[in-house]
Amino acid sequence: MAPTVATPISESSNITDLVVTNGNGVKGLSEMGLKTIPKQYIQPVEERITVSNILPQESIPIIDMSNWDEQKVSESICDAAEKWGFFQIINHGVPIEVLENVKDATHRFFNLPAEEKRKFSKENSPSNSVRFGTSFSPEAEKALEWKDYLSLFYVSEDEASALWPSADQVLEYMRGSEPVIQRLLEALMKRINVKEIDETKESLLMGSKRINLNYYPICPNPELTVGVGRHSDVSTLTILLQDNIGGLYVRGNNDSWVHVPPISGSLVINVGDALQIMSNGRYKSIGHRVVASGSMNRISVPIFVNPRPCDMIGPFSEVLAGGEKALYKQVLYSDYVKHFFRKAHDGKNTIEFAKI
């Protein structure tokens, strides 16, 4: 049932009450049958995507992982990470059933009554590792993003099983993705002369994980807003499961954007800022964004593979061994993440925090 409000929906306090305080999210706005979006969601013209800056003939690489151990597969992974920072993988070994189950779990969560979702809001959640929210950083944004999310920080299997909604399906997806993450990082490390991922490197590359269940409801004016604004991820790697709707765009050349079309059973991989820093810029963390849809509700499920908050990150010594000059300083990862979340999405500007 769509939420009702007694005062005009355009009033800022009423938007906050409906979307945030009462737990309806932007999904609640979508279900009210609005003809136009509230002014708080209208993005500046320069933040909107138009047909004129889309490159329809371009596409990110698609890599068949059927034969993991073939040298050409490793080379394709590294080449894509260097040139594009984004690629899709198929035949990766995560069962289709596992992917479909976590997509179903995402729909189930966002179809819960508002009072159930509100139990996981910042004010009410039983744990800091479980957070239901909307937009990206509403306190810092001049214009809000047309998205709701459930963010799940992995601490332990026991905590996840006890506190996460749809824990079985989400954990199954995370477990299924582990071999993929391991293989990708092994290939990427060899290219930059890191011969072995020891305990220290493992912590830096994949010491913590976060998974988001993202929901992008139908929007009456998709051309005026965004699902997610221009940004790069702060992760080492991001493993993204899309549904069949589409809407993810990756930064191309000369201010252009390249669509990442959904491929059944595929996973989208992208390099995050942490890996760009640790590889001293060899691997590229590329800006990307999500458009809103005027006809279909869209979901996505990214796994963010990160250093631990307490880790210092900087270029690996193996990368600099040949005399290459460091482009980035050593930074505490938790400081880097705080810098990212305390501002609105702003393209690639977060990386400036770590530059020498």
Side-chain angles (χ1 to χ4, degrees):
M1 182 178 173
T4 57
V5 289
T7 53
I9 195 63
S10 60
E11 292 184 12
S12 180
S13 60
N14 203 38
I15 287 281
T16 302
D17 285 344
L18 176 74
V19 174
V20 180
T21 309
N22 296 333
N24 290 289
V26 75
K27 181 175 184 285
L29 283 179
S30 175
E31 292 174 346
M32 292 179 68
L34 301 177
K35 300 299 183 186
T36 57
I37 59 173
K39 62 182 180 182
Q40 292 87 346
Y41 289 90
I42 298 177
Q43 295 285 331
V45 173
E46 63 270 18
E47 295 299 332
R48 305 175 203 169
I49 198 165
T50 62
V51 174
S52 63
N53 57 11
I54 293 174
L55 290 177
Q57 70 277 16
E58 290 274 11
S59 63
I60 65 170
I62 300 168
I63 301 173
D64 188 339
M65 309 292 284
S66 299
N67 298 306
W68 283 101
D69 298 321
E70 288 188 2
Q71 182 65 23
K72 67 178 182 180
V73 174
S74 292
E75 290 176 358
S76 295
I77 290 167
C78 296
D79 290 346
E82 287 187 17
K83 180 182 178 182
W84 280 95
F86 263 84
F87 52 97
Q88 295 205 63
I89 58 174
I90 57 175
N91 299 318
H92 42 68
V94 184
I96 292 290
E97 181 183 8
V98 171
L99 304 182
E100 292 303 316
N101 285 346
V102 78
K103 286 193 281 187
D104 290 344
T106 302
H107 280 290
R108 278 200 308 276
F109 175 79
F110 287 102
N111 285 331
L112 288 172
E115 56 269 21
E116 289 297 314
K117 289 181 286 190
R118 193 165 62 239
K119 292 177 182 177
F120 300 101
S121 67
K122 181 179 180 180
E123 295 73 21
N124 302 319
S125 181
S127 168
N128 286 333
S129 63
V130 183
R131 183 69 47 81
F132 168 65
T134 190
S135 194
F136 171 66
S137 185
E139 301 83 3
E141 291 166 322
K142 293 180 180 177
L144 299 172
E145 299 177 351
W146 196 261
K147 180 193 79 169
D148 297 328
Y149 65 87
L150 179 70
S151 194
L152 305 167
F153 295 84
Y154 183 83
V155 177
S156 69
E157 193 102 353
D158 287 344
E159 178 177 299
S161 297
L163 298 177
W164 288 9
S166 301
D168 290 346
Q169 293 81 11
V170 177
L171 285 170
E172 185 181 35
Y173 172 49
M174 291 190 75
R175 285 191 291 264
S177 301
E178 281 296 320
V180 178
I181 295 165
Q182 193 74 37
R183 294 280 189 137
L184 290 170
L185 287 173
E186 286 173 0
L188 291 165
M189 289 302 100
K190 285 179 182 176
R191 172 70 67 93
I192 58 172
N193 299 318
V194 177
K195 306 301 182 187
E196 180 186 359
I197 299 178
D198 58 20
E199 191 172 321
T200 300
K201 288 286 195 303
E202 184 173 326
S203 173
L204 288 167
L205 292 167
M206 51 188 295
S208 68
K209 294 183 183 69
R210 174 169 62 91
I211 185 166
N212 268 25
L213 310 185
N214 294 329
Y215 190 88
Y216 305 91
I218 294 171
C219 179
N221 309 109
E223 73 284 357
L224 298 181
T225 190
V226 295
V228 178
R230 302 173 299 112
H231 71 289
S232 59
D233 294 343
V234 294
S235 57
T236 302
L237 287 179
T238 302
I239 319 297
L240 176 73
L241 174 63
Q242 297 197 86
D243 63 12
N244 63 350
I245 308 301
L248 172 64
Y249 286 81
V250 173
R251 172 74 80 179
N253 296 320
N254 303 318
D255 257 1
S256 60
W257 294 91
V258 177
H259 187 226
V260 182
I263 299 173
S264 179
S266 73
L267 293 169
V268 180
I269 312 297
N270 67 276
V271 172
D273 289 357
L275 185 55
Q276 177 170 323
I277 291 167
M278 290 186 278
S279 70
N280 204 39
R282 181 77 173 266
Y283 299 129
K284 305 295 190 295
S285 174
I286 300 298
H288 52 286
R289 64 194 302 173
V290 176
V291 300
S293 170
S295 58
M296 310 245 342
N297 297 317
R298 177 182 183 266
I299 62 159
S300 68
V301 188
I303 298 173
F304 301 98
V305 182
N306 310 309
R308 295 177 306 170
C310 60
D311 284 328
M312 296 293 294
I313 63 169
F316 283 154
S317 59
E318 292 89 341
V319 180
L320 304 178
E324 186 175 319
K325 183 180 178 181
L327 302 177
Y328 305 99
K329 59 190 176 185
Q330 295 283 328
V331 296
L332 182 66
Y333 186 63
S334 61
D335 287 346
Y336 191 84
V337 172
K338 286 174 187 173
H339 177 66
F340 176 67
F341 280 103
R342 69 167 59 107
K343 57 189 175 59
H345 280 142
D346 57 359
K348 279 284 295 175
N349 289 341
T350 307
I351 200 78
E352 299 296 323
F353 183 82
K355 281 188 177 177
I356 292 176

